[in-house]
Amino acid sequence: MKKLFATLLVLSTLNIAHAQLTPFYKSYNWSENIDKMNILKDTLIDEEVLVLKDYASNEFSYPDDKQNTLTQYVLTHKAYLLRTNNAIEDFNKVYLSFDNSSEILKTKARVITPSNKIIELDSTKILTAVDEETNVQYKYFAFEGIEVGSIVEYLYVIKKRPYYEGSYVRIQSEYPIFNLDFHVITPNNLIFKFKTYNNTDSISNDTLANGKWDFNIKYDYIPSLKYENNAAYQSKLMALVYKLDRNTYGGTRDISSYSTLIQNMYDFLHYNEDKNKKTVEKFLKQMKFKASKTTEEDILFIEDYLKKNIYINENNGSQELKSIDFITSNKLASELGILKLYAQIFAALEIEMELVFSGNRLSKKFDSEYEATTFLEDYLIYFPSINKYMAPTNLASRVGLPTFTLTHNYGLFIKEVALGGFKTGLGEIKFIDPVPYTENTDKMYIDVSFNEENITNQKIFFNRQMSGYYAKDLQPFYYLITGKDKTELNKQLFTNINSELEPENIVVKNENAADLGKKPFIIEAEFETDVFIEKAADKVIFEIGNLIGPQTEIYDSLERKLPVELNYTKYYYREIKVKIPKNYKIVNLDDLNIENYFINNGDTSMAFTSKYTVKDNELVVVCEEYYKNIEIPVKHYQEYRKIINSAADFNKIKLILEPN
Amino acid sequence: MKKHYTLLLTLVFSLITIIAQDHSEELNFFHEKYPNENLVIISHVEEIDISKSKNGLQITIKFNEEKLYLQDNANLFSEEKISGSSFHKLSEIKASSLIFNGKNYKEQKINNFNEKDKLDNAIFHDDVKEISFYYPNLNKGSKSNLSYTTSITDPRFLTSFFFQEYYPINEVTYKMTVDKDINIGFKEFNTDNFKIEHTVEEKKNKKIYTWKSTHVPKTESESNAPSFFHSIPHITPYIESYSENGQTIPILGSTKKLYDWYYSLTKDFYEKNDTIPEIKSLIDSLIADINSDEEKLKVIYYWVQENIKYVAFESGLGGFIPRSASSVYNKRFGDCKDNSSILKEMLEYAGLNTYLTWVGTRRLPYSYSQISTPVVDNHMINTCIIDSNFYYLDATGKYATIDMIASFIQDKEVLIGIDVDSFIVKKLPITNAERNYFNDTVALELNNLDLVGNGKYTVNGYPKIKIFNHLETLKDDNIKKFYTINLTKGNNKFIINSFVETNKFDYDKPFELSYDFSVASYATLTDNHLYINLNLHKDFIPKTIKKDRTHAIEQDYCYKKSYYYKLKIPEQYEVEYIPENVHVNTKDFSFNLTYKVEGEYIIYESSFKEESLLIEKNQFLKWNKFIQQVQSASKEVVVLKHK
């Protein structure tokens, strides 16, 4: 007892100085007592997997007491109860990745069988893999001895260069979580700022025995959030974000604000711009650039050329892939390299541009009120003179039709300003508007006639026009496909209506990559077929609804929890003209009338309508369907469902033709 | 006349040359020859040297390939990857782009090669290393050149020579230089109707074999086609033996020699092993009250399937040597050899004669008599012999019964290892279509225009295994969605209201699903007539085979689907028209459809049977005619008239 007390005394006098040398992870271990996990074994019996422990701590530490070698220790400790064979297949292998400036200090893994036998994994079974291209290393292993009802548990510690400019942590998942424990441990000269999302409690702050601060959040139980279609699921999970704001030693403030990044990015984009001017001009000549009537056409020309000729290697961070000289002579670039090239080309052509940072809104919403690099995941280039965006590294886009996950989201815009004779970057957070529904359209113009000699045989002329996002996987890549593959692709645009259709005389228009977002991709074909006909004695049943292809039907199963978030706004138009055969009449034309609107705040935000007219033995059916808004709140879910199902209802319409 | 003609041609040709300055003659030639191809392999050369060294045989392959890019999308092919492993060691890798500058090709060498340990879903850990790099500046008319050397560390692992690829090849050459006292054998596959120039030369103490082919068209990549081993012409070399110090050292060349080597890798399992107590007590408890050998086999086989997961560690010889049963038992996972190892030990402890068995899956077209080198097989199972009945057991999957072989080894040969001296080669059967069935029996009624009913769906055999494997991954509402999609009747307004599962995940009994459903507004009513198409299940109708298809179509298994629907005719209605019956019966497929009116019911019965694993090209026409008949029949509608 006396000895223990003396030890404690010594420890406390060494206090801060010593404590900096002993990071928290060293004294951390999993419990030998597994009772706390075992009592949870019979809860929520319908769940395949229970997360019995989810512990994570990010400790920032000065290991040798010098203020300039801050290190981060990330300690992760998880335990899962696996109740089915499927759960075992999902969790029996673990892969830990880290880059070559990091080090794994400790890895432990064990299996606790249903009879409470503990099988610890031998450290020789923890394997290593290296990827020289990305400089990522992996430690991976397979748990040994798992049976149904086992608990798998592992913990590992990574020592790394500290990252503190904004980390987004999701604390909820598709599995129920027990004993959630999240910590950020810091020396008390470092002040971190936190924010929580989706009804997460706020962070608590405790002071540890060694004087360090322990920012933490704890939950005994976090219910699972089940995945729902057409929702921004990942962005709805409970989460928190944290960043380093101030260092009281030295008095630096706003450490993680965007200002340094804005400056650095601006400097990077325009690095050696004057020296590179000749190379850029030579490159412009090589691509046969000629100034056209509008700025937009100039931008499109450059974009089209770069996207077709420069191979972007996203994973490689090497210096040469960022050098204008190397890129233009090898046609290989990294992501940052291509941004620099765009910036210097537009500077040479005096086209004003702003680099925009944003992220995938389906996964995480850009927070316009909290500056953190975690929100800066992807790039756009904004052109103020035409008010349009370009996605520089997305091959399935052209100026005016940027990556849709980045739209309807906020972004950080970096514009160039001149202060005295000196140019620099200035940042502003603005909303990136989504492309309106009138630009994302899928239109069909269908002409149908019957073979008078063989009434079950129809001749159909089909013209399909897709614009905006509907053409994003067609127009930019069409030039790449040749021969048999091209014929296959063309046919597929019809065989996805019915796999038995054999399109003939296929004509394609506006198939150039530069047409994306400007002109609709048009494909037309003819076929002779009987797939839309059913026979009933002397009557003929025409499955007119099947002409538009299969439609989604939303079943009324479980109650919707998350709001609908569409990828993009959309508009569908179908015009079907049918030459009614001589000697026949259609007896159920009124089945063709469908009208469903949803009016929100005086505006019709979504609808499905179909109407018919008959004149001179020609039946004309016109259908319109549109969704003007990206987000549809839960309270309007049934209305949304009704509109979607109306299109499905149209798809089922069968016209009965009776002999006169 | 001839003179003028030649002069004209020369003039025209030089005019073309003047105009086409941007592109090389080579590009013009090949672009014209292959206007729709992305690239052509100008030359593919492999030079193999097999010579004797201090440590046995030294085998080195020098590989060189030059490609010409024919289209604007050339830069899509910038990334190149090559793989090596502990048995195939890579060295001296050189790569470059060749860019045409109007007069000649300028070479741009690649200096940056990145090595990567491949992390794969199928194989958890192996020693395969991948080297990747990028050809700079590729555009239309550019070429790329790649060369490297591979050392094969074990003479048994000689690879085959392939004479065709997914791109056209201008010239492919294989040259093998062998020390005279090394005996080489070769086997050809798919070389009928394929021209290969073959020469054999003798120089000093070496023998030089050369094979060359030119203007090879590409092979098409088509869905459901048998693996490329079935169609691409190739030659498989093997070393029979070599002499050293007056002794002849046998390597390969007969099934016996292959078996001898396999046996040497696995002989631990033929010698008495101490079965660990945990396995003993497990088996004791599993077979406690069981007397019949077949029942014992069943219960142990099912245990291994259920409890040992598939995780493959295939580094070096780990890809060939099974791990001990105790090791597999403790880890609760293993690959096919490990599964075989533990199953063999368990069955033998229970007193059943069980043997390790090598097999090539259907991906490999070879029989042991055709070629006996490691290329012939890629999988290991067990054979258990009870009263001269052979049971073939694959414990890597689940839900397999003792009488049914895995679908991917049907019609293939197995090499059963009996003991150090003997083995048996046997041919596996094709599982009968009647064993793999889907049956749907439904009572239907019309509720106004809504079709409502309750049905019983039964499935057995391979399709049952497939369904169970998928059901394991589903939870909550996704289970209902899965059944809804698979049982859809009529159209996608089909909704299942409730269902009861029987024998779910049962190995022996057929799976049964009782369900009640509705399809809103399925019937069309007009002018006192009701129209209902009773071909509710359209999924059995196969798709028409495209006219330009080049490869045969492969099926996983033979099966039968049958449907029995009993529709109650609504009161106040009578039958005005029922469609004709259809019967088509051939040895490969059959379709039978009948309609009957029995009192106040219409009975619809249809069955579809597919009885061959392969639809050969010469069957396509016949098959399409058959599909037409089936499709036509499925468009017939029942008409009811108001009384």
Side-chain angles (χ1 to χ4, degrees):
Chain A
M1 197 58 199
K2 239 190 194 165
K3 200 173 177 185
L4 185 63
F5 184 76
T7 321
L8 273 173
L9 203 58
V10 167
L11 272 177
S12 59
T13 51
L14 284 176
N15 210 347
I16 292 166
H18 183 74
Q20 313 290 41
L21 300 170
T22 321
F24 176 71
Y25 80 86
K26 292 215 166 172
S27 57
Y28 184 91
N29 201 356
W30 56 37
S31 182
E32 289 313 316
N33 179 345
I34 52 178
D35 288 347
K36 197 173 179 197
M37 291 199 288
N38 275 337
I39 49 172
L40 294 167
K41 270 177 157 182
D42 294 323
T43 45
L44 300 174
I45 209 77
D46 290 333
E47 294 285 342
E48 272 195 24
V49 175
L50 294 184
V51 182
L52 298 181
K53 186 143 192 82
D54 190 345
Y55 180 97
S57 77
N58 287 279
E59 181 172 7
F60 295 88
S61 202
Y62 297 106
D64 56 3
D65 222 1
K66 291 199 183 77
Q67 297 300 308
N68 57 357
T69 57
L70 186 68
T71 306
Q72 185 177 356
Y73 297 94
V74 183
L75 163 61
T76 309
H77 175 193
K78 295 205 202 247
Y80 300 95
L81 172 65
L82 307 175
R83 286 186 171 140
T84 64
N85 280 309
N86 187 48
I88 295 176
E89 295 283 3
D90 284 345
F91 286 89
N92 64 356
K93 308 190 240 327
V94 174
Y95 296 88
L96 309 172
S97 66
F98 54 105
D99 67 34
N100 60 7
S101 66
S102 307
E103 204 189 316
I104 288 203
L105 298 180
K106 193 172 169 174
T107 318
K108 285 172 74 157
R110 69 181 175 180
V111 171
I112 303 162
T113 69
S115 53
N116 287 332
K117 176 167 159 214
I118 300 182
I119 307 168
E120 196 162 333
L121 188 71
D122 191 80
S123 59
T124 58
K125 305 277 176 80
I126 298 174
L127 310 160
T128 311
V130 177
D131 183 337
E132 281 179 7
E133 192 187 351
T134 58
N135 283 324
V136 174
Q137 286 186 71
Y138 297 85
K139 283 239 184 279
Y140 59 108
F141 55 88
F143 285 102
E144 295 187 353
I146 311 178
E147 301 165 48
V148 164
S150 294
I151 297 171
V152 297
E153 187 172 10
Y154 64 99
L155 74 84
Y156 62 97
V157 180
I158 297 182
K159 174 183 173 185
K160 53 186 282 204
R161 282 199 296 235
Y163 186 78
Y164 45 71
E165 282 136 330
S167 303
Y168 188 93
V169 179
R170 293 182 185 85
I171 60 170
Q172 188 179 29
S173 80
E174 55 176 316
Y175 305 113
I177 299 175
F178 293 90
N179 302 315
L180 180 106
D181 230 313
F182 177 81
H183 301 257
V184 175
I185 299 171
T186 91
N188 53 19
N189 59 300
L190 297 178
I191 307 204
F192 279 76
K193 256 196 174 153
F194 295 81
K195 186 170 176 179
T196 61
Y197 298 97
N198 298 323
N199 298 319
T200 305
D201 293 344
S202 41
I203 309 286
S204 312
N205 185 358
D206 297 317
T207 308
L208 295 177
N210 56 19
K212 275 185 153 179
W213 282 333
D214 175 8
F215 294 95
N216 62 80
I217 188 163
K218 293 184 200 195
Y219 277 88
D220 286 337
Y221 168 64
I222 298 184
S224 63
L225 183 66
K226 296 301 176 200
Y227 182 80
E228 285 180 335
N229 265 334
N230 290 318
Y233 172 77
Q234 289 269 310
S235 77
K236 299 293 180 198
L237 295 168
M238 289 166 65
L240 61 93
V241 68
Y242 69 92
K243 63 181 180 179
L244 177 61
D245 191 51
R246 285 191 288 143
N247 184 350
T248 57
Y249 295 163
T252 38
R253 306 180 79 89
D254 295 327
I255 292 171
S256 300
S257 76
Y258 292 144
S259 46
T260 323
L261 177 130
I262 291 167
Q263 198 53 55
N264 288 342
M265 197 58 185
Y266 178 86
D267 292 341
F268 168 78
L269 292 176
H270 299 282
Y271 184 71
N272 272 342
E273 197 166 88
D274 291 330
K275 285 201 188 128
N276 288 330
K277 209 154 188 198
K278 264 216 176 84
T279 314
V280 168
E281 274 161 15
K282 190 167 155 211
F283 188 57
L284 284 168
K285 244 202 196 119
Q286 200 186 102
M287 64 166 95
K288 300 198 175 82
F289 175 78
K290 272 203 184 81
S292 39
K293 293 194 196 123
T294 65
T295 311
E296 188 165 352
E297 282 171 281
D298 286 346
I299 295 168
L300 186 54
F301 184 94
I302 306 282
E303 182 186 11
D304 202 50
Y305 183 85
L306 292 190
K307 284 184 176 176
K308 283 180 176 166
N309 290 283
I310 308 222
Y311 185 86
I312 299 177
N313 183 352
E314 295 190 355
N315 295 319
N316 195 322
S318 73
Q319 273 306 112
E320 51 181 18
L321 294 187
K322 288 187 259 197
S323 135
I324 300 285
D325 279 331
F326 183 88
I327 297 171
T328 51
S329 41
N330 290 284
K331 308 290 195 312
L332 298 172
S334 61
E335 267 196 355
L336 285 176
I338 203 79
L339 290 179
K340 188 195 273 189
L341 182 59
Y342 273 115
Q344 298 200 9
I345 289 177
F346 291 131
L349 296 176
E350 291 177 353
I351 295 174
E352 201 189 331
M353 63 152 258
E354 297 178 15
L355 184 70
V356 182
F357 278 98
S358 187
N360 179 348
R361 64 177 150 87
L362 300 176
S363 152
K364 186 196 314 173
K365 302 278 176 232
F366 189 108
D367 190 336
S368 57
E369 290 166 5
Y370 186 98
E371 296 189 5
T373 55
T374 186
F375 298 120
L376 312 179
E377 290 178 317
D378 210 338
Y379 310 99
L380 290 175
I381 295 178
Y382 175 67
F383 301 97
S385 61
I386 57 173
N387 190 25
K388 287 191 178 175
Y389 298 86
M390 184 234 279
T393 57
N394 181 358
L395 297 180
S397 92
R398 289 294 184 274
V399 60
L401 197 79
T403 317
F404 60 78
T405 52
L406 304 178
T407 64
H408 191 74
N409 201 9
Y410 284 92
L412 171 65
F413 289 65
I414 302 176
K415 71 199 272 185
E416 183 178 82
V417 286
L419 303 170
F422 165 70
K423 287 190 190 161
T424 186
L426 185 70
E428 197 185 338
I429 293 174
K430 294 192 277 192
F431 190 73
I432 303 162
D433 285 318
V435 170
Y437 79 112
T438 46
E439 286 180 35
N440 303 319
T441 67
D442 183 353
K443 298 180 183 173
M444 296 176 179
Y445 298 88
I446 310 170
D447 288 338
V448 181
S449 56
F450 292 77
N451 183 340
E452 305 276 341
E453 265 122 67
N454 176 6
I455 201 73
T456 59
N457 184 275
Q458 291 178 311
K459 193 155 183 185
I460 302 180
F461 177 79
F462 205 119
N463 172 302
R464 190 165 186 185
Q465 311 192 3
M466 292 171 276
S467 77
Y469 292 121
Y470 282 105
K472 72 174 175 62
D473 296 320
L474 285 166
Q475 284 165 319
F477 305 105
Y478 202 78
Y479 77 98
L480 295 173
I481 310 166
T482 51
K484 204 172 176 195
D485 294 331
K486 191 180 236 167
T487 320
E488 274 319 298
L489 174 67
N490 287 342
K491 285 194 179 160
Q492 256 170 47
L493 294 167
F494 297 102
T495 56
N496 59 21
I497 292 191
N498 185 302
S499 59
E500 292 296 318
L501 292 178
E502 303 239 355
E504 310 262 315
N505 302 331
I506 299 178
V507 174
V508 173
K509 296 181 195 149
N510 303 331
E511 71 272 32
N512 298 313
D515 291 331
L516 181 68
K518 310 261 174 310
K519 297 185 203 159
F521 177 87
I522 303 177
I523 184 165
E524 37 188 52
E526 291 174 348
F527 23 86
E528 260 191 55
T529 178
D530 60 1
V531 297
F532 301 110
I533 300 289
E534 284 182 325
K535 294 161 278 180
D538 57 341
K539 301 181 192 129
V540 171
I541 301 175
F542 174 25
E543 294 175 308
I544 189 172
N546 276 341
L547 283 171
I548 68 171
Q551 302 292 306
T552 320
E553 175 97 34
I554 300 182
Y555 305 107
D556 202 0
S557 41
L558 305 169
E559 199 188 294
R560 180 84 183 184
K561 296 229 162 60
L562 299 174
V564 169
E565 187 164 325
L566 300 177
N567 286 339
Y568 39 85
T569 58
K570 40 187 109 162
Y571 177 81
Y572 300 97
Y573 179 81
R574 280 75 178 234
E575 192 179 286
I576 306 171
K577 290 186 179 155
V578 183
K579 278 203 178 66
I580 303 174
K582 281 192 294 214
N583 313 324
Y584 281 88
K585 61 179 191 286
I586 304 178
V587 295
N588 61 334
L589 285 169
D590 285 342
D591 287 356
L592 289 164
N593 287 331
I594 300 178
E595 240 179 66
N596 271 313
Y597 296 96
F598 177 64
I599 300 174
N600 193 19
N601 294 333
D603 176 49
T604 309
S605 65
M606 48 186 176
F608 180 92
T609 61
S610 89
K611 297 184 181 84
Y612 79 90
T613 51
V614 178
K615 189 179 168 192
D616 295 336
N617 254 4
E618 190 183 52
L619 164 67
V620 179
V621 186
V622 173
C623 304
E624 267 194 312
E625 182 184 356
Y626 53 85
Y627 304 87
K628 291 184 190 172
N629 299 333
I630 289 206
E631 284 184 74
I632 298 159
V634 179
K635 63 182 180 199
H636 296 148
Y637 184 70
Q638 289 307 323
E639 277 83 338
Y640 170 73
R641 191 176 149 254
K642 201 164 166 197
I643 309 279
I644 293 274
N645 287 346
S646 304
D649 288 344
F650 181 85
N651 170 250
K652 311 292 181 290
I653 297 174
K654 299 186 189 194
L655 295 179
I656 314 281
L657 281 80
E658 271 179 18
N660 278 326
Chain B
M1 202 50 204
K2 227 184 186 173
K3 203 174 172 183
H4 290 298
Y5 188 62
T6 325
L7 197 60
L8 187 63
L9 254 172
T10 325
L11 258 167
V12 171
F13 190 78
S14 46
L15 197 64
I16 295 171
T17 327
I18 292 167
I19 295 168
Q21 244 171 36
D22 284 338
H23 296 135
S24 65
E25 275 178 33
E26 203 172 9
L27 173 69
N28 290 331
F29 175 76
F30 285 106
H31 194 277
E32 200 188 310
K33 189 163 183 184
Y34 303 110
N36 292 320
E37 295 300 330
N38 289 320
L39 65 94
V40 56
I41 296 171
I42 300 284
S43 76
H44 178 110
V45 179
E46 287 184 44
E47 293 179 350
I48 302 106
D49 190 275
I50 305 179
S51 38
K52 294 203 300 202
S53 70
K54 299 178 269 185
N55 311 320
L57 295 179
Q58 182 147 315
I59 305 173
T60 3
I61 306 180
K62 284 207 177 93
F63 168 98
N64 186 293
E65 190 173 81
E66 186 169 280
K67 296 191 264 214
L68 170 68
Y69 301 92
L70 304 172
Q71 311 290 350
D72 288 323
N73 59 9
N75 76 342
L76 286 187
F77 298 91
S78 300
E79 189 178 12
E80 178 87 71
K81 288 183 186 170
I82 53 181
S83 307
S85 68
S86 60
F87 293 130
H88 297 91
K89 293 191 156 83
L90 297 175
S91 64
E92 292 175 55
I93 305 169
K94 290 199 183 86
S96 50
S97 293
L98 299 160
I99 320 292
F100 189 69
N101 63 5
K103 272 196 284 182
N104 39 35
Y105 287 99
K106 194 171 161 224
E107 188 181 16
Q108 242 185 298
K109 287 203 181 122
I110 292 164
N111 300 313
N112 205 358
F113 295 92
N114 288 310
E115 194 176 280
K116 185 195 250 201
D117 291 314
K118 257 203 99 186
L119 286 181
D120 200 277
N121 245 342
I123 300 178
F124 183 65
H125 176 70
D126 60 21
D127 54 6
V128 171
K129 286 205 193 300
E130 198 177 76
I131 296 180
S132 67
F133 50 92
Y134 295 86
Y135 294 114
N137 265 322
L138 291 183
N139 47 36
K140 183 173 177 173
S142 306
K143 294 204 283 192
S144 64
N145 193 295
L146 172 64
S147 67
Y148 56 88
T149 304
T150 308
S151 311
I152 295 184
T153 57
D154 186 312
R156 291 177 182 86
F157 295 134
L158 273 184
T159 44
S160 301
F161 309 147
F162 292 95
F163 288 85
Q164 197 177 23
E165 282 205 36
Y166 291 105
Y167 300 109
I169 306 176
N170 183 50
E171 188 177 279
V172 50
T173 312
Y174 291 99
K175 182 172 162 193
M176 188 178 253
T177 307
V178 190
D179 280 355
K180 270 218 185 121
D181 48 4
I182 299 176
N183 292 318
I184 299 278
F186 307 98
K187 196 64 200 257
E188 289 190 16
F189 296 98
N190 307 322
T191 50
D192 293 338
N193 308 322
F194 188 81
K195 191 160 168 243
I196 303 179
E197 268 173 51
H198 177 43
T199 56
V200 184
E201 261 182 83
E202 287 194 24
K203 258 187 190 166
K204 296 192 199 173
N205 63 338
K206 305 251 184 207
K207 227 170 166 181
I208 303 170
Y209 302 84
T210 314
W211 293 265
K212 185 161 140 183
S213 257
T214 54
H215 310 306
V216 182
K218 74 171 189 187
T219 181
E220 297 288 343
S221 167
E222 291 170 344
S223 61
N224 299 319
S227 75
F228 66 82
F229 295 105
H230 289 79
S231 55
I232 292 188
H234 57 286
I235 294 177
T236 306
Y238 54 93
I239 298 170
E240 279 188 13
S241 62
Y242 64 98
S243 40
E244 193 162 77
N245 303 326
Q247 278 205 315
T248 307
I249 302 178
I251 305 287
L252 290 170
S254 66
T255 312
K256 174 88 176 63
K257 282 189 188 167
L258 180 65
Y259 178 69
D260 285 343
W261 182 58
Y262 281 170
Y263 182 83
S264 71
L265 295 173
T266 59
K267 67 179 187 324
D268 293 342
F269 301 92
Y270 295 92
E271 286 156 16
K272 273 298 165 208
N273 247 330
D274 274 334
T275 305
I276 57 173
E278 289 91 329
I279 294 182
K280 285 186 180 169
S281 61
L282 170 70
I283 303 299
D284 288 339
S285 66
L286 285 176
I287 64 173
D289 297 314
I290 299 174
N291 289 318
S292 114
D293 281 346
E294 271 87 357
E295 285 303 309
K296 286 180 188 172
L297 168 59
K298 225 196 229 184
V299 76
I300 296 171
Y301 184 38
Y302 292 178
W303 188 93
V304 178
Q305 288 182 69
E306 280 290 313
N307 292 283
I308 306 294
K309 301 275 166 291
Y310 188 91
V311 180
F313 282 71
E314 314 288 10
S315 198
L317 281 175
F320 289 84
I321 301 175
R323 281 153 207 107
S324 71
S326 56
S327 156
V328 178
Y329 179 82
N330 287 325
K331 291 185 304 201
R332 290 295 205 274
F333 64 72
D335 63 9
C336 62
K337 309 178 305 298
D338 303 331
N339 272 276
S340 302
S341 155
I342 191 175
L343 184 58
K344 178 171 155 63
E345 184 152 316
M346 288 182 163
L347 290 173
E348 291 196 332
Y349 177 73
L352 302 168
N353 297 319
T354 312
Y355 309 95
L356 294 183
T357 305
W358 289 261
V359 61
T361 62
R362 285 164 60 189
R363 181 165 184 267
L364 303 173
Y366 318 113
S367 67
Y368 286 93
S369 51
Q370 279 180 315
I371 182 89
S372 284
T373 77
V375 306
V376 70
D377 51 35
N378 58 358
H379 190 42
M380 183 185 275
I381 60 174
N382 291 98
T383 308
C384 181
I385 306 178
I386 298 174
D387 298 331
S388 55
N389 289 319
F390 283 63
Y391 295 98
Y392 304 101
L393 315 162
D394 188 338
T396 55
K398 284 178 73 166
Y399 308 113
T401 52
I402 62 175
D403 66 322
M404 248 175 66
I405 57 174
S407 66
F408 51 82
I409 55 174
Q410 292 176 91
D411 206 25
K412 294 263 18 214
E413 279 185 347
V414 289
L415 172 62
I416 307 170
I418 303 294
D419 58 37
V420 60
D421 292 315
S422 52
F423 59 89
I424 308 172
V425 173
K426 264 189 136 19
K427 183 97 187 281
L428 298 178
I430 296 176
T431 307
N432 197 295
E434 299 283 344
R435 189 80 174 72
N436 304 316
Y437 63 82
F438 306 76
N439 186 298
D440 196 21
T441 303
V442 187
L444 297 165
E445 259 182 54
L446 275 170
N447 193 347
N448 292 322
L449 298 182
D450 299 343
L451 185 68
V452 300
N454 54 74
K456 188 160 111 173
Y457 175 75
T458 321
V459 66
N460 209 352
Y462 297 132
K464 183 184 84 167
I465 297 178
K466 217 168 166 181
I467 289 173
F468 281 172
N469 281 325
H470 190 65
L471 277 175
E472 275 186 4
T473 67
L474 301 176
K475 22 182 191 186
D476 314 315
D477 210 45
N478 288 320
I479 297 178
K480 195 185 203 183
K481 278 194 188 139
F482 172 69
Y483 290 145
T484 306
I485 291 169
N486 282 285
L487 292 173
T488 292
K489 290 177 174 35
N491 59 48
N492 70 353
K493 280 188 169 308
F494 170 82
I495 307 176
I496 292 181
N497 298 315
S498 66
F499 62 86
V500 174
E501 298 153 310
T502 309
N503 302 330
K504 188 175 180 183
F505 300 135
D506 189 297
Y507 277 63
D508 299 307
K509 306 195 196 93
F511 172 58
E512 285 173 13
L513 181 75
S514 303
Y515 58 101
D516 66 275
F517 66 90
S518 59
V519 189
S521 306
Y522 182 63
T524 307
L525 171 68
T526 176
D527 204 26
N528 286 325
H529 286 85
L530 262 178
Y531 302 88
I532 312 136
N533 186 327
L534 282 181
N535 296 286
L536 300 173
H537 234 130
K538 299 228 170 45
D539 70 328
F540 65 85
I541 305 173
K543 296 203 169 72
T544 315
I545 302 171
K546 302 211 167 94
K547 330 180 242 246
D548 54 358
R549 185 175 173 105
T550 61
H551 294 303
I553 299 176
E554 197 177 57
Q555 305 267 47
D556 286 346
Y557 47 78
C558 306
Y559 63 89
K560 181 174 175 182
K561 289 188 180 181
S562 47
Y563 307 91
Y564 179 94
Y565 304 143
K566 192 168 174 180
L567 170 69
K568 182 153 188 282
I569 302 167
E571 284 184 32
Q572 295 142 30
Y573 279 89
E574 59 189 8
V575 175
E576 184 179 89
Y577 172 79
I578 56 166
E580 283 180 15
N581 296 337
V582 179
H583 298 286
V584 180
N585 286 293
T586 73
K587 87 167 161 52
D588 294 321
F589 46 72
S590 59
F591 174 65
N592 289 288
L593 171 57
T594 57
Y595 292 87
K596 274 191 286 239
V597 180
E598 275 178 16
E600 40 173 22
Y601 293 95
I602 297 176
I603 314 260
Y604 167 101
E605 266 188 273
S606 77
S607 74
F608 181 92
K609 201 170 174 186
E610 206 168 321
E611 298 195 85
S612 62
L613 286 185
L614 199 67
I615 304 174
E616 298 272 17
K617 216 175 154 187
N618 58 19
Q619 302 275 340
F620 287 175
L621 209 60
K622 189 170 97 177
W623 185 258
N624 276 341
K625 276 207 185 98
F626 169 66
I627 292 174
Q628 254 298 93
Q629 282 178 285
V630 176
Q631 283 181 357
S632 194
S634 76
K635 301 215 137 280
E636 291 280 345
V637 169
V638 165
V639 185
L640 304 177
K641 191 173 80 174
H642 204 282
K643 283 185 192 151

